Amino acid sequence: MGRNDALRAARLRRGWRSVEAAAGALTKHGQKLLDDRQFTVSARTWRRWEGERPGWPAEETAIVLHDALGRWPEDLGFTTPSGWIRPEHHEEERVNRRAFTSITAAALVTGPTAQQHVDPALVDYFQQQLEGHYRADMFLGPHDLIGTVSAQYQLIDKLVRSAKGETRRGLLRAGAAYSALVGWLYQDAGDIDGASFWRGVTQEIAARSRDPHLIGYSLVNQAQVRTDLGDGHAVVELCEAVLDDADRLVPKVQIMAMQQQAHGASLTGERHAVDDLLDQADRLLPSVDDDLPWGNACRRTPGYLEVQRATCYGRLGLSAEAASLWTQVLAVIPETARRDRGVYMARQATAAAAAREPDQAVEIARTVATIAVETRSARMCRELAMLERAMRPWHDAPVGRDLAEILAPVTERS
């Protein structure tokens, strides 16, 4: 039926443009690897593999597939048998433990540390640095910034331990903003564990600062993680907790909570709630006039609320409405906001595919694939995976094959 996208994409990445070419190449590869002239894979077998969820291959075939394509059969769309343990599984566990240690290291420095004088001017220094980090994130994506911003958070944490009075409170507020940015960078990199850890750090530091605006901001951060997890009810609950104290909050934080709650409503299929929340946020937008250095996407991003509306409409299956909004949004998003443009264009392409405009979807995807490879944004790759699903009706058509070739470099890097 031609539905095993993972194997087909791996074949095309390898340069095997037909199942006949793939079967012949794998046969030669296996005979050389196993020193066995009897090893053969027919075009008929490969065609069956590219059908819907093929069964597990013989052990020697699994080894040859892994050696030729760099992936075990479970990553190539084959049904994993009970009890299968990947040969590198234990090494992966060790790598994961090391990775988690590196994620948490900047936030879990054991004290006490040596006391030092902390000049109040350092609070302004760290706040001024934030805007530069936000801009760099738009240009570079997450991977090149995580280390830099984490190190600055670690320095803030060290200084907090010596600071007193208003300087200490100011550093706590700065620390919450930095940890929130680290959390966002991990989320954009596709590391939901790292994002969740740093969102928790943000909530802790915000609570210690006693700043109601930051506490609300930290809960919206948690709601963002829940949005990525597809947990709409949790998103709504967290945002409602923020808005319970709306009278104490600057308009910016209220807007953030309303737009995130709209995402939660889109996950639970409530179109009326989406529009109502975003309309309320839009009425508040002219009132944003604070000088807080964090959470300024509503001021910095052209068409900020329409971006949220278009995203929500896409989730709700309102493809025509979403496509129209993405056209408006992308007309005002600057070329310099490369990562954000890539994400929005991927959503625009998915809306086009859902509206049965596959040629338009593929044309948009050409640009997105280039940006995805450059920025290594997992968020963008996730949007492209959604595009692939939306394009399944054209899987075996020329336009579907074009999309597979366009996205091959993205799949290879992800």
Side-chain angles (χ1 to χ4, degrees):
M1 289 186 290
R3 297 298 297 273
N4 186 350
D5 295 341
L7 181 61
R8 184 170 183 270
R11 165 169 66 80
L12 292 171
R13 276 200 309 276
R14 194 68 168 76
W16 301 339
R17 296 186 62 82
S18 68
V19 294
E20 289 78 13
L26 193 72
T27 295
K28 289 180 181 177
H29 191 93
Q31 290 174 352
K32 182 177 179 181
L33 179 69
L34 303 174
D35 194 24
D36 180 3
R37 302 300 299 175
Q38 300 303 309
F39 179 86
T40 58
V41 172
S42 68
R44 181 180 178 183
T45 296
W46 193 290
R47 193 171 289 108
R48 176 170 52 80
W49 287 348
E50 289 199 12
E52 192 106 24
R53 205 68 185 157
W56 194 254
E59 182 179 356
E60 63 180 16
T61 307
I63 292 169
V64 174
L65 280 166
H66 179 262
D67 195 73
L69 300 175
R71 300 185 180 190
W72 290 108
E74 66 189 274
D75 300 321
L76 295 170
F78 290 80
T79 301
T80 308
S82 176
W84 162 253
I85 300 175
R86 296 164 69 116
E88 72 270 27
H89 175 72
H90 297 299
E91 176 58 28
E92 285 179 355
E93 284 189 342
R94 287 193 290 272
V95 169
N96 288 340
R97 282 197 296 272
R98 288 197 299 271
F100 188 73
T101 299
S102 70
I103 287 167
T104 63
L108 298 178
V109 177
T110 304
T113 58
Q115 289 292 300
Q116 67 184 105
H117 171 69
V118 182
D119 194 294
L122 285 167
V123 176
D124 288 338
Y125 163 76
F126 286 114
Q127 289 180 341
Q128 289 165 11
Q129 293 289 307
L130 266 176
E131 183 57 35
H133 291 317
Y134 291 140
R135 286 199 305 272
D137 173 43
M138 287 194 298
F139 300 142
L140 297 173
H143 298 276
D144 294 320
L145 282 180
I146 285 174
T148 299
V149 183
S150 299
Q152 285 201 285
Y153 170 82
Q154 189 172 37
L155 175 56
I156 293 169
D157 180 54
K158 175 175 176 284
L159 294 171
V160 163
R161 300 183 191 203
S162 294
K164 295 179 173 55
E166 187 51 42
T167 301
R168 178 183 175 84
R169 285 188 289 275
L171 285 171
L172 282 169
R173 290 192 292 270
Y178 273 80
S179 62
L181 178 53
V182 177
W184 159 247
L185 293 171
Y186 275 111
Q187 194 167 345
D188 192 34
D191 187 337
I192 203 71
D193 293 336
S196 186
F197 171 81
W198 279 95
R199 299 308 202 189
V201 171
T202 302
Q203 195 169 356
E204 178 211 323
I205 304 300
R208 288 166 57 194
S209 76
R210 302 291 204 281
D211 184 320
H213 312 301
L214 269 174
I215 292 170
Y217 178 50
S218 72
L219 288 173
V220 173
N221 276 209
Q222 296 280 27
Q224 287 179 341
V225 173
R226 284 286 152 186
T227 298
D228 273 9
L229 292 172
D231 189 352
H233 293 296
V235 175
V236 171
E237 289 161 354
L238 285 163
C239 294
E240 285 179 342
V242 176
L243 294 169
D244 282 346
D245 292 324
D247 292 343
R248 301 177 62 201
L249 303 175
V250 293
K252 178 172 72 183
V253 176
Q254 297 179 53
I255 290 169
M256 293 173 71
M258 289 172 183
Q259 62 84 19
Q260 201 63 44
Q261 187 174 339
H263 286 287
S266 73
L267 286 165
T268 57
E270 300 174 71
R271 193 248 171 99
H272 177 74
V274 167
D275 286 329
D276 186 50
L277 285 159
L278 293 176
D279 289 346
Q280 288 183 59
D282 190 49
R283 289 191 289 272
L284 270 179
L285 204 53
S287 304
V288 176
D289 61 355
D290 61 84
D291 58 358
L292 298 171
W294 44 263
N296 287 309
C298 63
R299 296 194 270 216
R300 190 172 55 244
T301 306
Y304 172 74
L305 290 174
E306 294 315 295
V307 167
Q308 317 310 320
R309 198 183 303 268
T311 303
C312 290
Y313 281 2
R315 282 200 198 97
L316 289 164
L318 305 171
S319 53
E321 294 92 330
S324 175
L325 282 170
W326 285 126
T327 300
Q328 297 173 38
V329 166
L330 287 161
V332 296
I333 297 291
E335 294 288 341
T336 51
R338 192 159 175 74
R339 193 271 319 282
D340 285 348
R341 278 189 67 86
V343 171
Y344 302 157
M345 289 178 72
R347 291 173 183 168
Q348 180 190 33
T350 299
R356 305 198 66 78
E357 296 286 348
D359 292 312
Q360 181 187 3
V362 170
E363 195 57 38
I364 296 167
R366 291 183 193 280
T367 301
V368 181
T370 300
I371 301 172
V373 170
E374 289 175 0
T375 62
R376 293 177 289 163
S377 168
R379 194 164 53 116
M380 203 179 309
C381 293
R382 189 167 62 244
E383 297 294 342
L384 288 172
M386 292 178 69
L387 170 61
E388 284 187 294
R389 288 195 290 274
M391 286 287 292
R392 278 180 179 167
W394 300 277
H395 183 79
D396 289 321
V399 70
R401 292 193 288 272
D402 285 348
L403 181 68
E405 290 186 24
I406 289 166
L407 298 186
V410 180
T411 310
E412 198 168 52
R413 290 287 295 273
S414 61

